[in-house]
Amino acid sequence: MFMTLEVIPLPVSDIDRARDFYRDKAGFHVDIDEEVMPGMRIVQLTPPGSGCSIALGDSLWESTPGPTPAPGSYQGLQLVVADIKAAHADLVERGLDVSEPVQYAEADGATFMYFTDPDGNGWAVQEYRKRATEPLHKLLTEQAEG
């Protein structure tokens, strides 16, 4: 049985501000922005090329068990790019306050940059150059077919 991680609910204090940030500054695509049932608005956004989205909602947490996470309490969310210099230039051009890339080791996958959303949710962007020739979605499709 396959299971895919496709949506991560993200705690934010202002849905419109978060939607605008992720769309305009981080470059995510807005997949859904509507009231999906009476009293429940969902905004779902997907990073370009990703199979996993984030979901923002005003009553989203009421339908999940456990405590409601505070806006800004998520840290370590991670995006992966094949070329961190190109990604950095694109994000800076969009107006995103993103750190300079830091190479922690020579190995592929050891270069990162960081940013936070308006609430303080923390993101890392990892360079994994291998993704230029081996996109994850292609590898997963080959595994499923093989």
Side-chain angles (χ1 to χ4, degrees):
M1 169 177 48
F2 285 105
M3 285 190 203
T4 57
L5 179 63
E6 295 190 16
V7 181
I8 297 172
L10 190 66
V12 298
S13 61
D14 182 319
I15 296 171
D16 291 324
R17 179 180 72 171
R19 178 206 55 215
D20 294 350
F21 171 84
Y22 284 104
R23 180 192 62 210
D24 301 338
K25 294 195 176 186
F28 289 23
H29 178 264
V30 178
D31 304 315
I32 300 168
D33 184 354
E34 62 187 62
E35 187 175 62
V36 294
M37 63 181 69
M40 180 181 274
R41 177 182 174 205
I42 298 289
V43 175
Q44 184 170 312
L45 303 108
T46 305
S50 180
C52 187
S53 304
I54 58 171
L56 318 171
D58 48 13
S59 56
L60 185 63
W61 303 105
E62 294 170 15
S63 63
T64 59
T68 299
S73 63
Y74 280 21
Q75 300 300 312
L77 296 160
Q78 190 163 313
L79 301 167
V80 176
V81 298
D83 182 340
I84 204 161
K85 289 180 183 177
H88 184 267
D90 178 64
L91 294 172
V92 167
E93 185 177 308
R94 292 175 161 283
L96 184 68
D97 184 14
V98 60
S99 72
E100 290 292 326
V102 176
Q103 185 176 19
Y104 295 102
E106 291 294 321
D108 191 14
T111 303
F112 290 82
M113 61 185 174
Y114 306 92
F115 69 90
T116 57
D117 73 10
D119 284 299
N121 292 304
W123 290 82
V125 180
Q126 176 190 30
E127 179 182 69
Y128 192 42
R129 294 182 302 275
K130 193 173 190 175
R131 286 292 173 250
T133 57
E134 296 181 19
L136 186 57
H137 64 85
K138 182 180 176 186
L139 296 174
L140 294 174
T141 302
E142 289 170 358
Q143 287 176 359
E145 292 172 350

